Amino acid sequence: MADILVIDDDIEVCETMESLIGRLSHDCDTAQTLSRGLSMAQGKPYDVVFLDVRLPDGNGLDILPRLMALPNPPEVIILTGRGDPDGAEMAIEGGVWDYLLKPSSVREISLTLGRALKYREEKAGKSEIESLDLSDVVGKSPLIRANFELLAQAARSDTNVLITGETGTGKELFASTIHENSRRRGGKFVVVDCAGLTETLVESTLFGHRKGAFTGAQADRIGLVKLADKGTLFLDEVGEMPLSIQKAFLRVLQERTFRPVGDTREQTSDFRLVAATNRDLDVMVEKDQFRPDLLFRIKTMRIHLPPLFQRPEDIRALALFQVERLCRQYGMERKSFGSNFFTVLESYSWPGNVRELFNILERAVIAAGNEKTIYAMHLPRALRIEVAKAQIKRMTGSEVVAEKSTGLVDGMAVRKIGQEIFEDIFDQALPSLREFKSAAEKVYLGELIRQCGGDLAQILDVSGLSRSHFYSLLKKYGLSL
């Protein structure tokens, strides 16, 4: 007997499903909202969840990552009244068992439920993720946990894998982790930087060459494909592979045979292929920039790594991991963190993803030196300014308070002045607000007098001050025209 949850805002559908599931000798609970359904799924381990897409409080597909991140995630069957090809694709990529349209027949629902339960029963007892060596892969967010499931599948098979994602998301790390957890871990993990391959040397680099095959070939050379024999061949940035070599490489994938440059005999290599790219290969195929037959070969299994801003839950864990590693590397004592350190990290957009985060953390550790605590002050100035500007924009709707465009100072100059003020703030301990305002006011008045050449009429026009207020400020700060 299985536990089933139906999340659907149509009470009649819930009652029908409850009756059908009861006749199949299973227990059934129902929920009419996403929030209620997710709360129930988090409080009780369900075997199968029937999930509607359009619900009063959101799109059912939005909670898929959170369902998949549960300790024992249920099999999810989408049951919706509106067909949506993009939604179906998103659901399947999110790991759902099936995508059914209403009205589905009792027989179709029963068969789908039966297959899902049989699949679940067969995989019961397997703890694939727990058995993996994930010592260098860090993350607990639903998105990265779903990728760990795919990593486990890839590690126990020998199929070709395509890893996609923005630069800096950790594609090579995922590839090497697949290798280290596979039956090929005893072989070599050979990296081919396709972006660095030149048209003239690509065949020699991949397949090797014989002495005298071309000018400069002074000795035999083993190619990277042969080096990967019994191991894993990792094609990094495979989208950069020249079209001229793609056809030759396709044959290598199909036959696992190749001919070194200048040789008449063919060689073999039993390698496992993992490729990675930050480009959309499907779009490249449409533009005739990538061979469709090669794409079909390399993406038997696909893992997409999300950008860091989509998984902010992982930033703290990544930072703790990297700082501890850096302290060991530099022979430093373990460091603690200031109260606002992670707040700043989690407020940044991380366009360079995990790679940028690790570089920033290394700079912070170096800046902290022998200090026991890392503060936000140790983070690079540019990052702190970016975070401050983003916070101001969220609070005010713009980076700076709007200024009139006429006169001495235009909007761009105001923004530049504001940025420089923030640089000064973040490069030292904060003064009191009164002290800061006084210092800024004095600097402003001095520059105002200089730029206006002491012309009182222009000074009053630019600053918007009255004559009496201006003279009182001159007296306050000991300034003169």
Side-chain angles (χ1 to χ4, degrees):
M1 184 171 65
D3 289 309
I4 316 295
L5 174 63
V6 178
I7 306 176
D8 197 305
D9 61 335
D10 189 326
I11 295 178
E12 187 175 338
V13 168
C14 289
E15 291 175 347
T16 302
M17 291 292 293
E18 195 170 12
S19 175
L20 169 61
I21 292 167
R23 291 200 303 272
L24 295 172
S25 300
H26 301 304
D27 287 337
C28 179
D29 295 325
T30 63
Q32 280 73 53
T33 63
L34 275 183
S35 56
R36 174 60 180 159
L38 182 59
S39 176
M40 293 173 68
Q42 291 172 333
K44 176 181 177 179
Y46 288 97
D47 297 291
V48 174
V49 173
F50 283 93
L51 178 62
D52 193 7
V53 173
R54 299 183 185 276
L55 288 149
D57 54 342
N59 189 313
L61 300 180
D62 292 340
I63 69 167
L64 273 178
R66 299 176 71 177
L67 290 175
M68 297 304 173
L70 293 172
N72 185 21
E75 310 308 322
V76 179
I77 300 173
I78 299 296
L79 188 61
T80 180
R82 300 185 63 176
D84 177 4
D86 292 335
E89 179 182 357
M90 187 186 304
I92 293 169
E93 286 187 350
V96 304
W97 172 259
D98 207 348
Y99 191 96
L100 301 178
L101 293 179
K102 301 175 187 176
S104 293
S105 66
V106 170
R107 181 176 181 276
E108 185 176 12
I109 294 173
S110 300
L111 284 174
T112 300
L113 176 58
R115 291 171 185 146
L117 290 173
K118 184 178 180 181
Y119 165 77
R120 187 171 181 80
E121 182 180 351
E122 289 176 351
K123 77 172 186 178
K126 295 180 180 177
S127 55
E128 294 168 345
I129 291 182
E130 287 74 10
S131 64
L132 294 177
D133 177 8
L134 299 176
S135 54
D136 291 324
V137 184
V138 179
K140 60 179 181 180
S141 65
L143 288 173
I144 207 68
R145 291 286 299 176
N147 279 332
F148 289 166
E149 292 277 2
L150 295 174
L151 191 154
Q153 295 175 24
R156 72 169 188 265
S157 71
D158 223 16
T159 190
N160 297 334
V161 181
L162 176 63
I163 305 174
T164 60
E166 295 179 3
T167 299
T169 50
K171 298 186 290 294
E172 183 174 343
L173 177 60
F174 247 70
S176 63
T177 303
I178 290 172
H179 170 76
E180 292 299 330
N181 286 278
S182 73
R183 65 180 181 84
R184 293 177 176 269
R185 66 178 68 89
K188 293 182 178 180
F189 178 75
V190 179
V191 179
V192 180
D193 180 11
C194 295
L197 294 175
T198 61
E199 296 246 7
T200 53
L201 294 177
V202 62
E203 288 193 70
S204 172
T205 302
L206 289 176
F207 309 138
H209 62 250
R210 292 302 180 203
K211 179 180 179 181
F214 51 85
T215 302
Q218 299 177 354
D220 290 351
R221 176 180 175 179
I222 298 176
L224 297 179
V225 171
K226 186 62 178 178
L227 282 177
D229 190 22
K230 308 301 182 185
T232 299
L233 184 69
F234 175 57
L235 299 182
D236 193 17
E237 300 305 340
V238 67
E240 308 299 329
M241 180 180 283
L243 274 169
S244 59
I245 202 65
Q246 289 181 22
K247 182 176 181 180
F249 193 77
L250 179 64
R251 180 175 179 271
V252 175
L253 276 180
Q254 292 171 329
E255 308 295 337
R256 291 300 196 268
T257 61
F258 61 95
R259 183 181 292 113
V261 178
D263 201 344
T264 58
R265 298 164 299 175
E266 288 198 333
Q267 297 184 13
T268 62
S269 179
D270 174 24
F271 62 88
R272 191 263 180 89
L273 180 77
V274 180
T277 183
N278 61 2
R279 304 182 66 180
D280 190 329
L281 297 186
D282 292 304
V283 172
M284 292 183 67
V285 167
E286 292 174 2
K287 295 180 178 180
D288 296 323
Q289 297 172 343
F290 200 86
R291 291 181 63 96
D293 45 4
L294 179 58
L295 177 57
F296 294 147
R297 282 282 178 179
I298 66 176
K299 73 166 188 178
T300 307
M301 183 175 182
R302 182 183 175 217
I303 300 176
H304 179 72
L305 300 184
L308 186 55
F309 81 88
Q310 289 185 0
R311 49 187 188 106
E313 311 97 309
D314 292 335
I315 291 176
R316 179 183 290 262
L318 286 164
L320 291 170
F321 168 81
Q322 181 66 354
V323 169
E324 183 175 345
R325 184 163 66 177
L326 288 168
C327 288
R328 289 198 305 269
Q329 178 182 334
Y330 292 126
M332 298 177 176
E333 293 184 6
R334 293 182 64 177
K335 296 185 182 297
S336 58
F337 300 89
S339 58
N340 64 338
F341 183 79
F342 293 114
T343 302
V344 173
L345 292 184
E346 291 165 1
S347 300
Y348 184 59
S349 59
W350 299 110
N353 295 298
V354 179
R355 182 180 299 162
E356 181 185 13
L357 172 64
F358 281 10
N359 288 339
I360 291 294
L361 291 170
E362 184 165 9
R363 291 172 62 182
V365 168
I366 293 171
N370 292 325
E371 297 175 33
K372 295 182 179 180
T373 304
I374 300 181
Y375 296 97
M377 280 284 294
H378 293 124
L379 294 169
R381 174 191 296 180
L383 183 146
R384 287 180 280 132
I385 291 171
E386 191 69 31
V387 169
K389 289 165 68 176
Q391 290 172 339
I392 292 171
K393 189 172 184 179
R394 282 196 298 271
M395 290 186 291
T396 67
S398 62
E399 290 182 0
V400 294
V401 178
E403 295 284 347
K404 58 183 181 180
S405 58
T406 58
L408 185 67
V409 185
D410 62 16
M412 288 300 294
V414 170
R415 279 192 287 273
K416 187 174 187 302
I417 291 170
Q419 178 174 321
E420 290 171 352
I421 289 173
F422 278 118
E423 289 178 3
D424 289 339
I425 289 177
F426 286 125
D427 258 5
Q428 59 187 355
L430 285 175
S432 69
L433 180 60
R434 175 178 293 181
E435 290 172 334
F436 175 74
K437 288 173 68 176
S438 295
E441 201 167 44
K442 183 176 182 179
V443 170
Y444 175 85
L445 289 170
E447 186 63 15
L448 176 68
I449 294 169
R450 188 190 70 80
Q451 291 192 26
C452 294
D455 185 321
L456 181 60
Q458 187 180 2
I459 287 173
L460 298 180
D461 180 59
V462 170
S463 66
L465 294 169
S466 66
R467 184 187 298 262
S468 60
H469 190 186
F470 174 66
Y471 278 115
S472 69
L473 290 174
L474 288 184
K475 183 178 180 181
K476 176 181 178 180
Y477 296 114
L479 299 174
S480 66
L481 292 176

